[in-house]
Amino acid sequence: MIKKLLLGFGCCACVLTIGILIGHFAISKTPFWPSDVFKDVDENFITAFLSEVDNIQIEHNLRELTKVPHMATTEGDEQTVQFMLKRWQDRETGLDDAWREEYSVYLSFPNTTNPNKVTVVTASNSVLYTLRDKEVNYTADQLDPNVVPPYAAYSPAGHAKGKLVYANYGRPSDYMHLNETVDLRGTIAITRYGGAGRAAKAINAEPYGVVGVLVYTDPYDINDGLMSDLNETYPHSWYLPPSGVERGSFNTLYGDLLTPYLAAKDHTYRIPVEDIPGLPPIPIQPIGFEDASTLICALDGLPAPNDWQGSFKCKYNFGGPGFKNTSTFKDSDVKLDIYNYGTVKNSSNVMGVIRGSVEPDRYVIYGNHRDSWVHGAIDPSSGTSVMLEITRVLGRMVKQGKWRPRRSIIFGSWGAEEFGLIGSAEYTEQYFAKLSERTVAYINVDIAVFANATLRASGMPSIQNVIFTSAKQVSAPGLKSTSVYDNWIKYSNKSSPTHGVIPRIGYLTGAGSDYAPFVHYLGITSMDISYTYDRTKTRARIYPAYHTAYDTFDYASRYIDPGFTSHQAIARTAGNVLIRLADSLLLPFSCSDYAETLEDYLKEAVEQYEVELKTKNISMESLKHAVSSFRLAASHLDEVIQSTDLKNEPLKVRMINDQLMLLDRAFLDPLAFPDKYAFRHVIWASSSAGKPTFPGLADAFAKAVSSGQTSDWNKVHYHLSVLNQAIEGAAHTLTNVI
């Protein structure tokens, strides 16, 4: 019996041993991964996508979006919310999910029962001249009762009266120069758009005792000098008519003004309205150049400098202050009666998503704002029309089971952008942690088509190659056998030590559109893409109907993009970029291209500042070392990528992708710019110095040179240290984990 038991145990042991040996030698030591894990971008799918993008569909989208004015939170805005939801929830061409996200935000409106008024009055307040309170109608669009009259959002209500003076662009230097000749106390200043931010024209004026400001668009800056609506301006061309007025938000911060750094929900703490910083301290009102000409050509005083002159058929004078004795306005004042009011209203983002199949926790975000000042055919509906066409094509392919992206794609139709990037800013504040940890990139297509000459793109240097790749695969509108890339390089190019001559990519250094909270607040790799005009053929600082009642479907279809082929080119290019970011196994980012830009910035900084800094015993050697360290780290990561078996090392690919995705987060410093709200990126923050180099260093140096104060030179040293730490820190994120 015992022998049988021992024999049984022995047999079991032998079987177990044989099984272990078979398992050891028969099972591969390489773990099994589902094939989807190695999913990479499919060039055949991109070809199919490009062929499906339809210019006629984009034209249809734009016609629908511009039927009525849709200023933020108005009835027209709600109509566009419903339109977006209907399209993104469509059973055949919609997204996986779509919803609205609401915020309670502080906005500024004109009083409909007591409209703003600008007049020329006598000492006894008898009215000699009344400026237009609405634009001339050339089509039925201008007659729509929901066209908001021209006003300056966030201008304080109030009554200002005084002698008129001309202050050029309203920059600090302009007021300083004017004050050397004219006593500005108690005056009204008239300024032209450009050169300084909208609110700055009033903020810069107030210290000199100016009590009110008018702002207009000079034909020199927008119309190449043309002024007559009989045969020169719209409706005969794309140029701004004499009564056209650029509306806008006259504040200096972005996001909801009452809930800084907090999402503006009903329960959120709000600061008192009187504590909002960066608003105009005195009444300000925009007017058309027709009225501006009447006022400026009547001004007395010394002639303004040559670079202050515009296109009116008269000499621009400073003002006596006031008007010439020979003018019908002799001894009269300009009077502003402003009745704007602020209120908290609900504004909606419309969100949509296509969920990723392999890495659903990694997001590629594509966005544009939805609200406009009036009909907004170009700003922003050209971009919304393009986004809707991209989602139509991709949504149908998802519904048909032909495609699903590797990573999740989030689409955002932002609300209340025109009041200060509110929808996108509130979204980034509400989902700060999740977006910071999971977002691969943000694509912004706001004004998709300024005009139909060439592509224009701005973004972080690391993404230039994916834009180039995408642009090479799209035909340039109206040019046979020419790609968008080849056409682009003819209009705007630069020489790269690595790549040779390439198209010039701009940088996202300001807060001009909804990329701002993603770049400056979250440090997310971002880009902004559009089609634009040939800047050698016009001085126009932007398309002439910008923010006026003439930015309509008629204007867009006749003068901006007849046939909508430039819209189609943008949809194909931006959509191609989107697919590559969502589907590429390895993210198509280049840290070496980033290093090249840092080296350019360093070269400029050394040329501009090093000699003077040495006299202050401040060394730039540590900054040079930091940039060199970043270059070495970028080259090291390139070598790691080249040596990695992408198809068999998915965890290593994920690690590298995280390094690429998180690179720009390493450049964030929440304490670097205490006087710049929500600007934390030390490479791309806004700067007033006008130098193509590190913004904090440039601004600090300019201030120190101006003041000569030791404390300001200490700030220069501080910003050098901030840069050293950020760039060295970013370099460390690109090297080995330990």
Side-chain angles (χ1 to χ4, degrees):
M1 184 68 181
I2 292 173
K3 288 182 178 181
K4 289 182 179 180
L5 287 173
L6 291 173
L7 182 62
F9 283 127
C11 290
C12 289
C14 287
V15 170
L16 180 62
T17 301
I18 292 169
I20 291 171
L21 291 172
I22 290 173
H24 176 75
F25 290 106
I27 298 174
S28 170
K29 294 183 176 61
T30 302
F32 172 76
W33 298 97
S35 60
D36 275 359
V37 169
F38 306 106
K39 170 184 170 68
D40 205 349
V41 67
D42 183 348
E43 294 294 340
N44 291 328
F45 175 76
I46 288 179
T47 300
F49 166 81
L50 296 178
S51 69
E52 289 292 320
V53 173
D54 188 350
N55 58 309
I56 303 302
Q57 287 287 341
I58 296 173
E59 179 181 6
H60 171 73
N61 293 342
L62 190 67
R63 192 184 295 274
E64 287 295 316
L65 288 164
T66 57
K67 282 184 175 179
V68 296
H70 46 284
M71 187 169 64
T73 73
T74 64
E75 181 181 341
D77 185 29
E78 178 60 24
Q79 288 182 32
T80 63
V81 168
Q82 296 301 326
F83 179 65
M84 299 296 294
L85 286 171
K86 180 181 178 181
R87 290 289 299 273
W88 285 355
Q89 293 173 347
D90 187 271
R91 292 185 177 183
E92 296 182 356
T93 61
L95 308 177
D96 288 336
D97 197 7
W99 64 97
R100 69 191 299 162
E101 192 90 59
E102 287 203 348
Y103 301 96
S104 300
V105 301
Y106 181 71
L107 305 181
S108 168
F109 298 99
N111 191 319
T112 55
T113 59
N114 202 3
N116 296 341
K117 185 165 60 175
V118 180
T119 54
V120 179
V121 299
T122 66
S124 60
N125 282 330
S126 296
V127 175
L128 299 177
Y129 181 77
T130 301
L131 280 68
R132 284 188 176 275
D133 59 0
K134 61 181 179 180
E135 290 137 309
V136 171
N137 60 289
Y138 299 107
T139 70
D141 293 313
Q142 289 83 51
L143 293 174
D144 191 302
N146 292 312
V147 171
V148 66
Y151 81 111
Y154 301 109
S155 166
H159 307 281
K161 186 173 76 168
K163 302 296 182 187
L164 189 67
V165 294
Y166 171 57
N168 196 25
Y169 291 115
R171 299 169 295 199
S173 59
D174 293 331
Y175 285 112
M176 183 182 299
H177 184 73
L178 182 60
N179 193 56
E180 292 172 355
T181 305
V182 181
D183 183 354
L184 296 180
R185 290 174 295 179
T187 61
I188 304 291
I190 184 167
T191 66
R192 49 180 172 162
Y193 273 119
R198 296 187 187 101
K201 297 176 189 300
I203 294 171
N204 296 337
E206 192 264 347
Y208 291 96
V210 176
V211 295
V213 176
L214 299 175
V215 58
Y216 76 100
T217 303
D218 198 286
Y220 180 88
D221 299 315
I222 203 74
N223 277 4
D224 297 312
L226 300 179
M227 294 187 288
S228 173
D229 62 354
L230 295 178
N231 57 3
E232 293 177 333
T233 67
Y234 182 78
H236 309 288
S237 75
W238 84 321
Y239 289 119
L240 179 67
S243 67
V245 182
E246 178 184 322
R247 298 148 179 82
S249 179
F250 285 65
N251 60 333
T252 56
L253 308 183
Y254 66 83
D256 177 54
L257 298 176
L258 294 182
T259 59
Y261 298 111
L262 299 170
K265 295 296 186 177
D266 289 341
H267 56 77
T268 305
Y269 167 76
R270 285 169 168 77
I271 65 173
V273 171
E274 57 269 22
D275 290 348
I276 298 174
L279 296 184
I282 53 179
I284 184 169
Q285 173 72 12
I287 62 174
F289 71 74
E290 177 183 47
D291 284 325
S293 174
T294 299
L295 298 178
I296 288 175
C297 288
L299 278 177
D300 200 3
L302 295 175
N306 288 337
D307 59 353
W308 288 38
Q309 300 297 315
S311 289
F312 298 150
K313 301 184 188 311
C314 65
K315 192 74 173 178
Y316 290 37
N317 296 330
F318 287 139
F323 300 106
K324 301 172 184 175
N325 287 331
T326 55
S327 165
T328 55
F329 301 152
K330 174 187 175 183
D331 296 328
S332 59
D333 294 326
V334 171
K335 188 168 185 280
L336 279 66
D337 295 298
I338 306 301
Y339 300 97
N340 296 348
Y341 68 96
T343 185
V344 173
K345 300 193 72 173
N346 285 342
S347 177
S348 297
N349 291 340
V350 180
M351 308 301 300
V353 64
I354 299 175
R355 296 186 180 90
S357 60
V358 180
E359 298 180 83
D361 64 329
R362 291 293 179 262
Y363 311 146
V364 180
I365 305 177
Y366 183 114
N368 175 38
H369 71 100
R370 185 188 61 259
D371 65 302
S372 64
W373 284 111
V374 194
H375 292 85
I378 301 303
D379 182 12
S381 300
S382 62
T384 305
S385 299
V386 163
M387 180 164 62
L388 283 171
E389 178 59 4
I390 291 172
T391 58
R392 181 190 71 85
V393 175
L394 295 181
R396 182 167 66 180
M397 291 177 170
V398 169
K399 297 292 186 183
Q400 292 175 347
K402 295 180 179 178
W403 175 77
R404 183 164 289 280
R406 178 184 183 89
R407 303 176 184 90
S408 295
I409 300 174
I410 298 173
F411 293 95
S413 175
W414 315 120
E417 185 269 0
E418 295 292 6
F419 287 85
L421 318 182
I422 291 177
S424 56
E426 300 314 299
Y427 176 73
T428 58
E429 288 169 348
Q430 181 173 5
Y431 299 106
F432 176 88
K434 182 166 69 171
L435 296 177
S436 295
E437 293 294 326
R438 302 180 182 179
T439 305
V440 168
Y442 175 69
I443 302 170
N444 194 68
V445 181
D446 181 343
I447 299 175
V449 180
F450 290 85
N452 54 10
T454 180
L455 188 73
R456 182 177 77 177
S458 300
M460 275 70 161
S462 54
I463 50 82
Q464 70 175 21
N465 191 57
V466 69
I467 299 176
F468 293 164
T469 300
S470 300
K472 289 175 181 177
Q473 294 183 300
V474 178
S475 296
L479 299 173
K480 292 182 179 179
S481 304
T482 301
S483 70
V484 165
Y485 177 91
D486 290 334
N487 183 57
W488 180 16
I489 205 171
K490 295 175 185 177
Y491 284 92
S492 179
N493 60 68
K494 71 172 187 177
S495 181
S496 161
T498 305
H499 307 294
V501 178
I502 56 174
R504 184 178 295 277
I505 296 277
Y507 300 140
L508 300 175
T509 54
S513 188
D514 289 299
Y515 55 76
F518 292 94
V519 172
H520 303 302
Y521 187 52
L522 294 184
I524 289 170
T525 303
S526 302
M527 67 194 77
D528 185 80
I529 303 175
S530 62
Y531 231 73
T532 191
Y533 44 87
D534 182 352
R535 293 184 177 271
T536 66
K537 294 182 177 178
T538 178
R539 287 192 303 268
R541 61 182 177 85
I542 197 168
Y543 72 96
Y546 174 69
H547 286 191
T548 73
Y550 304 112
D551 187 358
T552 62
F553 181 84
D554 177 74
Y555 180 83
S557 61
R558 291 172 63 192
Y559 300 118
I560 298 297
D561 189 23
F564 291 85
T565 53
S566 294
H567 284 75
Q568 183 183 43
I570 286 296
R572 287 171 169 168
T573 304
N576 194 344
V577 171
L578 174 65
I579 294 167
R580 291 181 181 280
L581 291 174
D583 267 355
S584 294
L585 177 60
L586 186 75
L587 289 174
F589 294 168
S590 171
C591 297
S592 290
D593 288 341
Y594 218 128
E596 186 174 304
T597 295
L598 294 179
E599 288 162 352
D600 289 343
Y601 268 29
L602 174 65
K603 180 181 178 182
E604 180 73 17
V606 169
E607 290 177 356
Q608 294 285 338
Y609 311 136
E610 187 170 41
V611 171
E612 182 67 23
L613 290 180
K614 283 182 177 178
T615 68
K616 306 297 181 183
N617 200 30
I618 301 173
S619 172
M620 296 188 72
E621 292 305 311
S622 57
L623 180 58
K624 295 176 186 178
H625 181 268
V627 173
S628 177
S629 296
F630 188 92
R631 167 60 78 179
L632 290 173
S635 298
H636 169 75
L637 185 61
D638 288 343
E639 292 171 1
V640 170
I641 291 171
Q642 290 297 321
S643 64
T644 298
D645 184 358
L646 299 178
K647 295 295 185 181
N648 289 299
E649 298 183 73
L651 295 182
K652 189 172 183 180
V653 169
R654 173 81 171 201
M655 182 185 73
I656 294 170
N657 280 340
D658 281 353
Q659 288 175 289
L660 295 170
M661 177 184 76
L662 296 172
L663 172 60
D664 273 291
R665 311 310 193 265
F667 291 113
L668 297 180
D669 186 328
L671 302 179
F673 309 106
D675 57 338
K676 294 180 181 179
Y677 174 78
F679 280 86
R680 309 194 302 158
H681 201 300
V682 302
I683 309 299
W684 307 122
S686 63
S687 170
S688 59
K691 303 292 183 182
T693 188
F694 307 107
L697 176 62
D699 285 352
F701 185 89
K703 185 177 181 182
V705 168
S706 175
S707 73
Q709 297 293 319
T710 300
S711 59
D712 287 331
W713 286 110
N714 289 340
K715 275 291 185 181
V716 176
H717 194 174
Y718 169 76
H719 276 284
L720 272 171
S721 298
V722 166
L723 284 169
N724 298 340
Q725 182 164 300
I727 295 172
E728 287 278 11
H732 284 301
T733 70
L734 303 182
T735 56
N736 295 333
V737 177
I738 301 296

